[in-house]
Amino acid sequence: MEAISYRVTGMTCGGCARAVTKALAAKAPHAKIEVDLAAAIVRVADGPGDAAVKAAIDEAGFGFAGRA
């Protein structure tokens, strides 16, 4: 399955990237998650739908800015 990219606001460090990854992995344990901190994008393959991705990012304390 092709990865879907999402824009995330508020990520400033590696800890932020790990928090987003952990939150997404909790929603979809089998998803492949890649965070590009410099571009403020998270790529998710084999993951949940947009609503679950948004919920995970919100729960982690960051902003969901839609698909990239």
Side-chain angles (χ1 to χ4, degrees):
M1 178 179 191
E2 187 174 322
I4 299 172
S5 297
Y6 300 94
R7 290 184 300 276
V8 180
T9 61
M11 292 191 305
T12 59
C13 66
C16 297
R18 284 188 296 279
V20 168
T21 300
K22 183 177 178 182
L24 287 166
K27 298 274 185 199
H30 301 292
K32 295 178 183 177
I33 303 159
E34 179 182 315
V35 176
D36 182 339
L37 189 58
I41 290 175
V42 62
R43 291 177 192 86
V44 183
D46 300 324
D50 292 351
V53 170
K54 179 187 182 316
I57 291 170
D58 288 345
E59 289 169 13
F62 300 95
F64 176 83
R67 287 190 181 199

